C-alpha cells in the first residue's frame, strides 16, 4: 500500500538528530507530521504488529528508539496520546479490544524507553476516525502517537 510521506515543517533550533530520526522512520513507513508545534506519528499496524495480534513485532522494537528520541525532543512536559485504530475486518468487540491493546503495548514500549508514564494516555479508537473511507483498508489499521504543542529549544 501507498503511505503518506512524512511532512515536517521547519522548526526553529531543532538539531539535525531530530531530522535524522524522522528520515529513518520515514524509511520504515512511519509517517511523522509536525504542525502548529504539535507532533503526530502514524505507525501502520501491518508492518509493526503481527496480524490479528496486539503484540509488536521486531520492526517495532527497531523503530521505537527513534520515536522515543522525537518525543523527548518535543519537550519534557505535556501529554502524549496513543490511539489504536482498526478496520472492519473483525467483530466490534474484537476491534475495540485489539485497538486498546495495541495502544497499551505501544505505551509500555515508550515507558520502558524513558517516557514518564504520567505523560502517556491511551485510547482504543476501533474503526472510528478512519484515514480512508474504505471498508477494510491497511491505512486504517494503525497506531497514532501525538503530542500537544512542544517547545522549540
Amino acid at each position: 500500500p501507498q503511505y503518506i510521506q512524512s511532512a515536517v515543517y521547519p522548526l526553529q533550533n531543532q538539531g539535525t538528530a531530530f531530522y535524522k530520526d524522522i528520515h529513518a522512520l520515514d524509511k520504515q513507513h512511519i509517517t511523522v507530521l509536525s504542525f502548529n508545534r504539535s507532533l503526530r506519528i502514524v505507525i501502520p499496524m501491518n508492518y509493526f504488529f503481527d496480524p490479528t495480534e496486539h503484540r509488536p513485532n521486531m520492526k517495532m522494537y527497531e523503530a521505537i528508539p527513534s520515536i522515543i528520541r522525537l518525543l523527548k525532543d518535543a519537550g519534557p512536559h505535556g501529554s502524549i496520546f496513543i490511539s489504536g485504530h482498526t478496520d472492519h475486518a473483525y467483530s466490534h468487540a474484537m476491534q475495540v479490544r485489539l485497538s486498546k491493546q495495541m495502544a497499551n503495548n505501544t505505551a509500555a514500549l515508550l515507558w520502558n524507553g524513558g517516557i514518564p508514564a504520567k505523560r502517556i494516555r491511551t485510547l482504543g479508537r476501533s474503526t472510528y476516525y478512519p484515514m480512508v473511507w474504505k471498508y477494510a483498508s491497511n491505512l486504517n489499521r494503525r497506531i497514532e502517537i501525538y503530542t500537544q504543542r512542544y517547545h522549540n529549544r
Side-chain angles (χ1 to χ4, degrees):
Q2 187 78 25
Y3 287 94
I4 302 165
Q5 188 174 18
S6 293
V8 178
Y9 302 99
L11 305 170
Q12 290 181 337
N13 304 321
Q14 290 299 132
T16 56
F18 182 82
Y19 294 103
K20 284 181 182 178
D21 283 330
I22 291 172
H23 184 66
L25 291 172
D26 197 47
K27 284 183 173 183
Q28 295 174 316
H29 305 285
I30 295 175
T31 303
V32 179
L33 301 168
S34 170
F35 53 94
N36 196 20
R37 291 186 10 224
S38 296
L39 196 62
R40 181 174 300 254
I41 302 168
V42 181
I43 305 167
M45 180 180 162
N46 293 7
Y47 287 104
F48 298 96
F49 288 86
D50 295 323
T52 69
E53 289 288 328
H54 54 81
R55 289 182 216 98
N57 63 25
M58 287 308 296
K59 288 180 183 177
M60 183 67 151
Y61 286 100
E62 294 168 6
I64 217 67
S66 292
I67 293 170
I68 289 169
R69 281 191 299 271
L70 283 177
L71 293 172
K72 285 182 177 180
D73 199 43
H77 308 292
S79 295
I80 296 170
F81 298 94
I82 303 169
S83 59
H85 301 263
T86 61
D87 62 8
H88 290 86
Y90 314 107
S91 69
H92 181 70
M94 177 71 161
Q95 294 165 7
V96 171
R97 184 177 65 79
L98 184 62
S99 64
K100 184 66 174 173
Q101 288 175 330
M102 287 188 319
N104 287 341
N105 286 339
T106 304
L109 292 173
L110 297 181
W111 179 74
N112 286 333
I115 302 290
K118 67 182 180 181
R119 291 185 59 201
I120 301 171
R121 303 286 180 264
T122 61
L123 302 161
R125 300 266 182 164
S126 171
T127 58
Y128 303 105
Y129 307 101
M131 288 186 84
V132 294
W133 292 102
K134 195 173 177 184
Y135 190 72
S137 172
N138 291 340
L139 290 174
N140 291 333
R141 294 189 295 264
R142 69 196 187 279
I143 288 288
E144 289 193 19
I145 302 171
Y146 48 100
T147 65
Q148 294 178 331
R149 298 189 182 266
Y150 56 84
H151 71 281
N152 291 330
R153 292 184 189 180

